[in-house]
Amino acid sequence: MTAPERLGGFKILKHVVRFSVVSQEGSGPLPSEICKAVAEEKINLPYLTSVYDGQSWGLNLVVEALDEGKISRVLKQNFGKIFTVSPKSAVLSIFPHRKNPEITGKLFEVFDQEGLEPDAMANSPSTISVVFKEELLAKASDAIFEPFSFSAYRTPEDWKLAQEGKEQLYKEVVASYQEQRPKVYGLEYYEGQDFIEIKMNRKNMGPVGTSFRGFARSGLKLMFVATGPTSEEGKDILAFCLPAAESRIYGSIVQRIAPDVDIEGASSVTIFSMNGPHFGDRYGIVSELLGALDNHQVRPLALSCTIASISGVVPSRQCESAFEAIKERFEVPSLTRKE
């Protein structure tokens, strides 16, 4: 039997609501417009993903349960309709993933084995976050102890005992002010990446997870992962990035192991990531970022916002414009190219 992968820990955020939005390009709101409307109401966004598949935008937003009515009103007033709503949701986050596709692959496989279908998924530079219906949370938290071990907890029961009375530790305190230029600890970026999108039935998670483990055996690093909703019931877009030089390898791996999924061609992209002292507040942070990119005519292919970090994917030809936009709107002490 393979020894469980050793991770640092995991967190759970409960009492949240997931909203999913799918809009056609040119006939619906842009992600920047939705996030601006949310920011104006000071609605906290502990989790957000945005994925563009060339025809439509798919967004997943998570808000605290007490904000459900407010965000429903905002969407109705500004965009004319209510989109998919999943009350009584929760976010499970494991860390660190070390950009190792083996960890993401094992997570997909164990959820598939247990019949668990996550509603959304994203990663930050250190964390993988998965959105579930709250009723599935106990089963999901038990399941991750099969492929993973955690330094402080031997069993799910150990973890549950350690969490008693600490539910608020996951949540960030919402800022009572808006900075003129939000502070960023640092802006990092990765060049020479390919952007891949898979239209995936949630029941295809197992084979997709196995293909991700195949990436690990080929020595590839998984730099970005996010899912976005589609207009097709039960299907998501899974977007991820891998080194461009290895495009033949990952294409053949996916097609061999998961032949029933639709995989789109890759394009050359740059990934950026940043965090800052108020990124957990995020009701204004994402809006500021997307507004700045819009002003420079930069349209991110995907965005992942979870655990006080934001990661984005832009076409390589637009990376300099993206950096310029971010520096204009945020206080950025350093720009670092990562390998």
Side-chain angles (χ1 to χ4, degrees), residues 23 51 76 90 108 141 144 151 162 164 181 186 212 245-246 265 277 317 326 328:
S23 60
V51 175
K76 276 186 176 179
F108 276 24
S141 59
I144 62 175
S151 54
E164 290 183 3
R181 295 182 70 218
F212 274 33
E246 309 295 342
R317 66 182 184 280
I326 293 169
E328 283 182 5

Side-chain angles (χ1 to χ4, degrees), residues 101 192-196 215 220-223 240-244 250:
Q193 298 287 309
D194 272 352
F195 180 68
I196 307 99
F215 299 158
L220 303 178
K221 290 185 177 181
L222 190 59
M223 311 305 297
F240 57 96
C241 293
L242 290 169
Y250 59 69

Side-chain angles (χ1 to χ4, degrees), residues 154-180:
R154 286 189 309 107
T155 66
E157 288 70 29
D158 291 341
W159 179 82
K160 290 169 186 174
L161 285 172
Q163 303 314 300
E164 290 183 3
K166 298 181 181 179
E167 289 81 2
Q168 294 299 317
L169 293 181
Y170 186 107
K171 297 184 178 182
E172 303 284 349
V173 177
V174 176
S176 59
Y177 64 95
Q178 287 286 287
E179 299 165 307
Q180 292 297 313

Side-chain angles (χ1 to χ4, degrees), residues 42-258:
K42 295 183 172 59
I43 298 172
N44 195 32
L45 290 174
Y47 175 101
L48 178 144
T49 59
S50 170
V51 175
Y52 180 58
D53 68 2
Q55 297 179 330
S56 64
W57 300 94
L59 281 81
N60 284 310
L61 303 90
V62 168
V63 301
E64 294 184 30
L66 56 86
D67 288 321
E68 180 181 357
K70 186 187 291 186
I71 198 169
S72 295
R73 175 178 55 80
V74 167
L75 291 174
K76 276 186 176 179
Q77 289 180 350
N78 290 276
F79 310 113
K81 62 180 178 179
I82 287 289
F83 305 93
T84 303
V85 183
S86 181
K88 295 185 179 178
S89 291
V91 184
L92 184 154
S93 300
I94 64 171
F95 54 87
H97 59 72
R98 300 184 292 274
K99 304 179 182 66
N100 181 359
E102 180 86 9
I103 294 173
T104 307
K106 285 183 175 181
L107 196 64
F108 276 24
E109 287 181 336
V110 74
F111 289 160
D112 183 58
Q113 291 164 10
E114 296 297 326
L116 294 163
E117 296 183 15
D119 291 324
M121 180 178 176
N123 73 354
S124 74
S126 62
T127 303
I128 302 171
S129 294
V130 187
V131 182
F132 281 105
K133 294 176 178 60
E134 195 167 294
E135 65 195 48
L136 301 177
L137 189 57
K139 188 175 181 180
S141 59
D142 286 351
I144 62 175
F145 276 83
E146 179 181 335
F148 306 119
S149 66
F150 301 92
S151 54
Y153 322 113
R154 286 189 309 107
T155 66
E157 288 70 29
D158 291 341
W159 179 82
K160 290 169 186 174
L161 285 172
Q163 303 314 300
E164 290 183 3
K166 298 181 181 179
E167 289 81 2
Q168 294 299 317
L169 293 181
Y170 186 107
K171 297 184 178 182
E172 303 284 349
V173 177
V174 176
S176 59
Y177 64 95
Q178 287 286 287
E179 299 165 307
Q180 292 297 313
R181 295 182 70 218
K183 295 180 178 65
V184 173
Y185 293 131
L187 177 61
E188 300 178 345
Y189 69 99
Y190 298 84
E191 295 180 311
Q193 298 287 309
D194 272 352
F195 180 68
I196 307 99
E197 292 181 313
I198 292 176
K199 183 175 286 188
M200 181 182 72
N201 189 308
R202 292 172 189 168
K203 295 179 181 178
N204 289 126
M205 287 186 60
V208 173
T210 303
S211 69
F212 274 33
R213 295 182 67 185
F215 299 158
R217 288 190 292 274
S218 297
L220 303 178
K221 290 185 177 181
L222 190 59
M223 311 305 297
F224 178 92
V225 178
T227 63
T230 72
S231 56
E232 296 184 50
E233 184 70 28
K235 286 194 175 183
D236 291 322
I237 294 290
L238 171 66
F240 57 96
C241 293
L242 290 169
E246 309 295 342
S247 59
R248 292 181 183 175
I249 293 176
Y250 59 69
S252 62
I253 290 173
V254 172
Q255 290 172 359
R256 184 178 72 251
I257 298 175

Side-chain angles (χ1 to χ4, degrees), residues 24-46:
Q24 299 295 316
E25 185 177 22
S27 63
L30 293 173
S32 57
E33 295 171 330
I34 293 174
C35 290
K36 182 180 179 181
V38 171
E40 288 173 347
E41 294 292 330
K42 295 183 172 59
I43 298 172
N44 195 32
L45 290 174

